[in-house]
Amino acid sequence: KNEVEQSPQNLTAQEGEFITINCSYSVGISALHWLQQHPGGGIVSLFMLSSGKKKHGRLIATINIQEKHSSLHITASHPRDSAVYICAVPNTGNQFYFGTGTSLTVIP
Amino acid sequence: DSGVTQTPKHLITATGQRVTLRCSPRSGDLSVYWYQQSLDQGLQFLIQYYNGEERAKGNILERFSAQQFPDLHSELNLSSLELGDSALYFCASSATGSLNTEAFFGQGTRLTVV
C-alpha cells in the first residue's frame, strides 16, 4: 500500500473547467506539499500547507489533517495548466513520500 | 525561476563510466535534497545534506555518493553506471533541515546511459 494515494491518475478537461485533484495519505504529517511537473521535466513547488487553505492565483489547496486528505483545485483551467501534479508528504525520516501523480491535460 | 541551479542539464555517457551532477541551492538555503525520477519508479528520495552534513538517506545505491561543500553547493557522484541509472536527477533546497518548510526544485539533470 502506498503511503500517499492520488486520484485521478489522468484527467482531461476543457479549457475553463474547474478541476479537483485529491490526495490521501496514511502517515501522520505536519505538512503536505503540492508539486507541478511540466512536460519539459522541471518541478515547481506550488504549495506547502499544514492546515486550512492556501490560494495562489487560480490555484487553491486545502488540507484536512484529521481526515488525512488534501485537494488541489484549479479554477478556470487553461492549456498551460497541463502538467503532472504530485502530492508529497514528509515522513519522520525527513524524506518525502510522493504520490504517483495526476496527469492533467487541458484542451483548448 | 526557483533559484536552484543544476548542471549539466543533459548528460549522455556509457555504461561503466562515472559522472558528477552539481546543484547550487537557493541563496540562504542550508538543505539540499537529491531525487531520482525514472520512468518506471517515479520520484525517489536519494539523500539530504544540511549545512555540510548528511541528514537523511533514502534509496541511494552504494555506487552513488554525494557531498555538500562549505559554500553549500552539492555534488552527486554516480559511478559504474548501468543502463538502469538513466533518469532525471533533481535537487531541491530548503531553508531548514526539515521538510516542514517549502522546498524549491532545480530543473533537473537528464542522464542517459548508453
Side-chain angles (χ1 to χ4, degrees):
Chain A
K1 183 185 182 301
N2 292 331
E3 290 81 5
V4 182
E5 300 276 356
Q6 276 186 245
S7 62
Q9 278 194 306
N10 296 285
L11 184 54
T12 301
Q14 292 289 330
E15 184 173 355
E17 283 186 13
F18 181 84
I19 287 161
T20 296
I21 299 170
N22 295 300
C23 174
S24 296
Y25 51 92
S26 58
V27 294
I29 66 164
S30 53
L32 179 144
H33 299 245
W34 280 103
L35 311 173
Q36 179 193 55
Q37 186 170 27
H38 275 284
I43 293 176
V44 174
S45 176
L46 296 176
F47 295 102
M48 193 277 295
L49 66 165
S50 54
S51 66
K53 180 164 91 172
K54 283 191 176 179
K55 185 174 190 288
H56 182 69
R58 293 178 297 103
L59 301 177
I60 303 166
T62 63
I63 189 168
N64 185 318
I65 294 286
Q66 286 73 31
E67 293 186 5
K68 297 189 174 180
H69 181 269
S70 176
S71 293
L72 177 68
H73 306 285
I74 305 176
T75 62
S77 59
H78 190 276
R80 65 174 174 265
D81 298 325
S82 298
V84 175
Y85 293 83
I86 302 167
C87 166
V89 301
N91 65 12
T92 53
N94 212 38
Q95 302 179 26
F96 270 136
Y97 287 122
F98 291 100
T100 51
T102 295
S103 179
L104 171 66
T105 303
V106 181
I107 300 169
Chain B
D1 182 8
S2 68
V4 179
T5 304
Q6 286 188 250
T7 57
K9 286 191 171 50
H10 301 275
L11 198 47
I12 302 175
T13 190
T15 54
Q17 295 298 304
R18 172 190 167 94
V19 296
T20 297
L21 312 184
R22 182 188 167 101
C23 171
S24 294
R26 273 192 344 146
S27 177
D29 283 358
L30 298 177
S31 266
V32 170
Y33 306 81
W34 285 99
Y35 299 93
Q36 180 192 56
Q37 186 181 40
S38 52
L39 277 175
D40 57 346
Q41 293 204 0
L43 274 164
Q44 293 205 74
F45 169 72
L46 295 177
I47 197 163
Q48 177 204 1
Y49 277 83
Y50 175 73
N51 205 21
E53 301 286 329
E54 183 184 303
R55 173 65 69 95
K57 212 166 186 175
N59 300 321
I60 187 166
L61 299 172
E62 284 192 14
R63 300 183 286 109
F64 296 1
S65 65
Q67 54 185 326
Q68 185 178 29
F69 294 87
D71 67 352
L72 300 177
H73 91 271
S74 178
E75 293 181 356
L76 179 67
N77 300 296
L78 315 176
S79 61
S80 303
L81 284 167
E82 302 175 359
L83 296 178
D85 298 326
S86 296
L88 262 173
Y89 292 85
F90 287 100
C91 97
S93 74
S94 68
T96 72
S98 164
L99 284 171
N100 293 326
T101 56
E102 198 169 1
F104 298 86
F105 285 77
Q107 288 298 302
T109 293
R110 186 175 295 277
L111 173 66
T112 303
V113 182
V114 296

